[in-house]
Amino acid sequence: MTAPGPAIVLVRPEIAGNTGSVGRTCVALDLDLCLVKPYGFEITDRNVRRAGLDYWKHVRLHEYDDWDDFLVRRAPRADALVLFEEYGTTSFRDRDYPPDFHLVFGQETTGLPADVLVGREDRLTRMPMRSPHIRSLNLANAATAAAYEALRGVL
């Protein structure tokens, strides 16, 4: 079995439009899109397709029943996981990204669940924000910025 290629991973995404937009980014950057259930929408939702436009049919979509299913079937290397959380100790600009990176984002309202975080504290990554008035960035915007950073020097 060959190792999985680079991907954006959305764990329990809640907003169809964000997922569609991330899918569009994945097509643009030739990345896999991994979705970990449950979702806050139906994958056939017209809002997913609207945000992904006519590019959605080109998304290399991989769906998983839960985090454990993702770890078993996708089998990313532990060092390839880059977990994004507001309290991560490493800035996304200072992180080393291996060629098979998996950029992992949690729910729009609550972030990554505890079972994803446990034992992976060294993989926690943050996107610095200069304003004290902002708690978080839009999921699709954050995933896109992180993907471009991960591919810096390759594109």
Side-chain angles (χ1 to χ4, degrees), residues 25-151:
T25 295
C26 287
V27 172
L29 298 177
D30 195 28
L31 304 174
D32 290 349
L33 174 59
C34 299
L35 300 181
V36 178
K37 296 176 183 178
Y39 312 146
F41 54 88
E42 294 294 323
I43 199 70
T44 57
D45 189 314
R46 64 183 172 89
N47 292 323
V48 174
R49 292 190 314 276
R50 180 184 299 139
L53 296 173
D54 56 344
Y55 305 108
W56 188 253
K57 64 186 173 209
H58 300 292
V59 173
R60 290 193 314 263
L61 178 63
H62 304 269
E63 295 182 88
Y64 302 93
D65 292 332
D66 55 35
W67 182 250
D68 289 335
D69 183 41
F70 166 76
L71 291 177
V72 169
R73 290 197 300 126
R74 181 77 180 185
R77 293 180 316 102
D79 289 349
L81 295 173
V82 181
L83 309 176
F84 284 84
E85 271 296 335
E86 65 180 302
Y87 52 83
T89 55
T90 303
S91 168
F92 83 124
R93 297 294 309 256
D94 297 329
R95 174 71 64 196
D96 289 326
Y97 297 93
D100 59 340
F101 64 80
H102 283 66
L103 309 177
V104 183
F105 296 87
Q107 289 178 296
E108 288 90 339
T109 57
T110 59
L112 290 167
D115 63 321
V116 173
L117 299 172
V118 172
R120 297 180 183 90
E121 291 79 7
D122 65 321
R123 306 306 306 159
L124 294 181
T125 305
R126 66 181 160 72
M127 300 187 88
M129 293 175 275
R130 294 174 58 177
S131 172
H133 305 292
I134 298 295
R135 288 186 312 276
S136 63
L137 296 170
N138 171 274
L139 174 63
N141 294 341
T144 298
Y148 273 92
E149 182 64 24
L151 291 168

